[in-house]
Amino acid sequence: MHTEWKGVNDIIQLIAQTSFSFLPALIGWSAVKKFGGNPLLGIVLGLILVNPALTSAYDYASHPAATPTWNLFGWHVSQVGYQGQVIPVLVAAWVLVKLEKYFEKHLPDTLQLILVAPLTLLITGFASFLVIGPVTMTGANWITKGVVSIFNAVPVLGGALYGFICAPLVITGMHHLFLGVNLQMAGTLGYVTLWPVGEPVTMAQGAACLAMAYIFRKDAKKKNVAWSSGLSSFLGITEPAIYGVNLKNRYPFVAVMLSGAFGGAWMGFWQVRSSSVGVGGVLSFLSVFPKQWGFYLAGEVMTFILTIVLTFTLSRTKLNADRNIGNDEVAHDLTAFATGKTEAIENVPDEMFSKKQLGDGIAINPTSDKLVAPANGQVTVVMQGSNHAVGLTLNDGTEVLLHIGVDTVDMKGDGFKPLVEVNDHVKAGQTLIKFDSKKIKAAGHSNIVIMAITKQGDDIKSITYMKPNQEVIAGKSVVGDIDYLADAAKTALA
């Protein structure tokens, strides 16, 4: 009726879907970089898997039999792309890096520039289309057929199973295979059962984000991400909620899976059906047959409430990698980062620390050879090569540098063994680095361990440090007392 608005809609859809259509290229880049290979080869690998000459994964899900094939000496290989898929490109990226390192090790230097990239891509490309892609797709098809058969036999059990695995399926991209099942049902039966069963998961992703926004209430950045991701979920787009909030923090994602299982079982029990695969989120009921709106909306509301309850409940369990991640329980103390005797930072035999060029802090003359975290936080820096220092961002936003010895960078890592990596979440008292004081002293260096506060959290008013020459125990003794601003302290104490 209004063709001018169709053009607007098409452009919006193009912008919205581009990152997902080329998702393998983005994942190829990040995965190859993580595995230690050339990220540019990862980008090319991902683009190979979504080449426009291939049948789109979305079309393949709807009409697998219509997909053309390559005939490789009698071996018929489907010409299918992997849009929106994660597992195939992850496996292919790992293979690519292994091949790249092999060729770099065994080919002469004069030939590496010419041969490494094309040989790596050529072999990985064939492996992707001949083995990796078909094997992962076959596994996905088994999952699809298994869920459908269980749902047809026992709708409540099938609905619970599909609701439980729906969120992980979105991560892997396997949820696209169910699109073909839903479309086939709509075309042959005139109704769809699996789509409304999976929709409570969309509501659950948004509800978990709202709960996380409250948990993150003292961290404006995280809170805003959670709010916006939740809003996106209620409009039918769950990827921001999954990757930006829920999966990242683990326990809200588990809450989503459990609530999704309940919502799926509810929809299966009442045999809720829709006329088509509709829009997700709060308007999803429009695709459900009107006579079943009551059952459907009741299931959505119960799933919403259950997700919030489970998110708060699980936040207080071991599923929460860091109980303080939302500043609900902001630490008032910085515990000893080594066992030994305290020393004023002004007495450290290094002007960078003694003159507080990196910030105020405290030092410890160690009697043990372990550097531990002074509070809960995340590893942001591990000095590569020398391994003598670690940077942490604590949960209140405070940034800390922990440094072992003076001029120990000259030792080039000899005598230092890091036990954490960048992005690891650590707890107070967790060992970060093991070091050898005897080697440090033999090399002519002081083994004093220093903590410098390079940036204070916004809610911190001041930090008072322990007096010099006091015996402390790593992870137990308090070496720094944090004084928060009035509102923050009141919340933390509560």
Side-chain angles (χ1 to χ4, degrees):
M1 293 174 62
H2 303 283
T3 56
E4 65 275 14
W5 283 109
K6 181 181 183 303
V8 172
N9 176 73
D10 290 345
I11 293 176
I12 292 174
Q13 290 291 338
L14 177 68
I15 295 171
Q17 293 298 325
T18 295
S19 59
F20 300 108
S21 297
F22 293 95
L23 186 64
L26 301 176
I27 292 177
W29 170 79
S30 60
V32 170
K33 183 179 180 181
K34 182 70 175 178
F35 294 146
N38 183 348
L40 291 177
L41 294 181
I43 294 175
V44 176
L45 172 65
L47 292 174
I48 289 171
L49 297 179
V50 294
N51 191 302
L54 302 170
T55 299
S56 168
Y58 307 112
D59 294 332
Y60 176 79
S62 304
H63 307 287
T67 303
T69 61
W70 290 298
N71 186 345
L72 304 181
F73 305 100
W75 186 357
H76 293 274
V77 180
S78 296
Q79 299 179 26
V80 60
Y82 294 91
Q83 288 81 359
Q85 302 292 304
V86 174
I87 292 180
V89 69
L90 280 178
V91 176
W94 181 82
V95 171
L96 181 143
V97 172
K98 291 295 182 181
L99 287 171
E100 181 188 6
K101 292 181 177 179
Y102 176 84
F103 288 131
E104 287 178 346
K105 182 178 180 180
H106 291 87
L107 287 177
D109 293 343
T110 53
L111 297 177
Q112 286 189 15
L113 183 63
I114 302 173
L115 296 179
V116 170
L119 284 176
T120 300
L121 287 170
L122 191 66
I123 297 174
T124 307
F126 268 88
S128 298
F129 291 118
L130 271 63
V131 180
I132 297 172
V135 168
T136 54
M137 193 68 76
T138 298
N141 280 321
W142 286 348
I143 294 174
T144 305
K145 292 178 181 178
V147 172
V148 172
S149 61
I150 293 174
F151 186 84
N152 290 335
V154 187
V156 175
L157 179 60
L161 176 61
Y162 183 60
F164 183 75
I165 67 173
C166 192
L169 288 177
V170 174
I171 297 172
T172 63
M174 291 182 183
H175 66 297
H176 293 305
L177 294 176
F178 286 92
L179 175 63
V181 176
N182 285 314
L183 293 178
Q184 184 176 0
M185 292 180 67
T188 58
L189 302 177
Y191 61 84
V192 175
T193 57
L194 281 180
W195 182 79
V197 165
E199 265 307 296
V201 177
T202 303
M203 183 63 66
Q205 296 285 8
C209 283
L210 293 187
M212 294 302 291
Y214 179 81
I215 292 174
F216 288 147
R217 63 189 180 277
K218 293 185 61 57
D219 188 322
K221 184 177 180 180
K222 290 182 179 179
K223 181 182 72 174
N224 290 337
V225 170
W227 273 113
S228 59
S229 298
L231 176 61
S232 174
S233 292
F234 296 139
L235 296 177
I237 306 298
T238 59
E239 281 80 5
I242 293 173
Y243 296 110
V245 181
N246 297 337
L247 182 63
K248 188 176 181 180
N249 294 287
R250 299 194 308 182
Y251 64 92
F253 193 78
V254 174
V256 168
M257 293 176 64
L258 295 174
S259 302
F262 168 80
W266 174 271
M267 301 300 178
F269 178 79
W270 293 107
Q271 297 187 10
V272 177
R273 299 173 178 178
S274 64
S275 59
S276 64
V277 177
V279 64
V282 294
L283 296 179
S284 57
F285 71 93
L286 294 174
S287 297
V288 176
F289 291 114
K291 64 180 180 180
Q292 295 183 315
W293 279 2
F295 296 128
Y296 181 78
L297 292 175
E300 291 275 85
V301 171
M302 288 189 291
T303 300
F304 178 89
I305 296 173
L306 179 60
T307 305
I308 291 180
V309 171
L310 286 175
T311 301
F312 281 117
T313 301
L314 295 176
S315 70
R316 300 183 177 277
T317 69
K318 292 182 179 180
L319 283 172
N320 187 349
D322 190 338
R323 287 283 303 279
N324 297 327
I325 198 164
N327 286 336
D328 257 27
E329 304 165 9
V330 180
H332 269 257
D333 304 318
L334 293 173
T335 57
F337 42 93
T339 297
K341 286 189 176 183
T342 57
E343 183 65 78
I345 196 169
E346 292 86 351
N347 296 333
V348 173
D350 185 330
E351 288 191 355
M352 182 173 63
F353 292 106
S354 63
K355 292 187 176 181
K356 302 181 181 180
Q357 295 175 5
L358 295 176
D360 201 0
I362 190 171
I364 297 175
N365 289 304
T367 55
S368 70
D369 289 354
K370 290 196 304 182
L371 173 71
V372 307
N376 295 359
Q378 185 175 16
V379 178
T380 51
V381 176
V382 177
M383 293 297 181
Q384 295 297 318
S386 60
N387 298 326
H388 72 294
V390 173
L392 301 178
T393 298
L394 308 184
N395 292 330
D396 58 10
T398 301
E399 296 179 6
V400 175
L401 175 65
L402 298 166
H403 193 283
I404 303 171
V406 175
D407 295 330
T408 45
V409 66
D410 298 337
M411 297 178 66
K412 298 181 179 179
D414 185 28
F416 301 90
K417 182 181 180 181
L419 302 179
V420 293
E421 298 179 352
V422 173
N423 295 326
D424 283 354
H425 286 279
V426 296
K427 295 186 177 182
Q430 180 177 335
T431 303
L432 306 175
I433 298 176
K434 288 185 177 180
F435 57 94
D436 190 331
S437 290
K438 292 181 179 179
K439 282 190 175 183
I440 294 174
K441 292 179 178 179
H445 304 299
S446 167
N447 70 330
I448 191 169
V449 184
I450 310 117
M451 177 180 71
I453 309 298
T454 57
K455 178 185 175 183
Q456 285 191 179
D458 294 336
D459 291 335
I460 293 178
K461 183 178 180 181
S462 64
I463 303 176
T464 304
Y465 300 99
M466 182 179 281
K467 295 179 180 180
N469 205 35
Q470 303 294 310
E471 294 279 356
V472 292
I473 300 175
K476 295 184 178 180
S477 306
V478 176
V479 296
D481 179 50
I482 303 175
D483 182 17
Y484 287 92
L485 298 174
D487 291 343
K490 191 181 297 182
T491 301
L493 287 171

